[in-house]
Amino acid sequence: MIDQVIKNVILQTIPSGSIISIIPNCFFFTNVENTGGAWSILSEYTFVLTLINFICIIFLNQYLMKKDYVSQVETIYFGLIMGGMIGNFIDRVLYSGVIDFIGIKFGGYQFPIFNIADIAIVIGVGFVFLEMIRGEIDGHRGKKR
């Protein structure tokens, strides 16, 4: 929800391609439509990416519905992933691309523009990986399957 509200504000206040510098040569807001995936890959396959996005939402939902128990931590990180996927899916349906608006530069390198949904997905997936490494997903702490 936060992602969609902020994107709406960005669309209403920042013309496409314009930049508002927050920290000079480091952090800025912009308004960019990304028809591709991460780093704009597969940008010519917008429909396929939208379909994949939708299928991932359905699969994650089914996975969660079939689990006997979902811990509070799992609720948080799967909620971040699901919320991010839904936020970007809404963009793909409404605008035929994802609205990205956060820009970061480090020295001469500019990281690809991203949004709140992307941040949520990355944080959620990061927690999933940490839990997998620790062996705690599905209550199998330290046990090999």
Side-chain angles (χ1 to χ4, degrees):
M1 184 86 120
I2 293 169
D3 174 67
Q4 287 297 305
V5 169
I6 293 173
K7 286 175 182 173
N8 192 24
V9 169
I10 294 295
L11 289 170
Q12 300 299 319
T13 58
I14 302 175
S16 182
S18 296
I19 294 175
I20 297 176
S21 180
I22 306 301
I23 301 173
N25 298 314
C26 184
F27 181 71
F28 61 93
F29 289 130
T30 187
N31 175 357
V32 178
E33 182 180 301
N34 177 6
T35 58
W39 287 272
S40 298
I41 60 170
L42 303 174
S43 60
E44 61 276 3
Y45 297 100
T46 302
F47 176 76
V48 173
L49 290 170
T50 303
L51 185 61
I52 290 169
N53 193 172
F54 180 72
I55 290 169
C56 288
I57 291 168
I58 298 300
F59 276 122
L60 181 56
N61 185 58
Q62 289 302 309
Y63 170 75
L64 294 173
M65 296 296 286
K66 290 180 180 181
K67 281 185 65 111
D68 293 331
Y69 173 75
V70 179
S71 71
Q72 289 179 337
V73 173
E74 288 175 312
T75 300
I76 293 168
Y77 59 69
F78 284 129
L80 286 167
I81 294 168
M82 182 69 83
M85 288 192 307
I86 291 170
N88 282 339
F89 178 74
I90 290 169
D91 283 6
R92 290 186 187 284
V93 170
L94 293 178
Y95 311 113
S96 298
V98 174
I99 305 303
D100 289 331
F101 56 89
I102 301 170
I104 297 176
K105 291 181 181 180
F106 290 111
Y109 178 74
Q110 180 176 319
F111 196 78
I113 310 299
F114 57 97
N115 60 45
I116 301 296
D118 298 335
I119 294 169
I121 293 168
V122 168
I123 291 171
V125 169
F127 279 118
V128 168
F129 282 136
L130 286 174
E131 292 293 302
M132 288 171 64
I133 290 168
R134 292 178 59 198
E136 295 183 9
I137 289 196
D138 292 327
H140 296 281
R141 176 179 282 195
K143 296 179 186 174
K144 300 216 184 226
R145 291 187 179 209

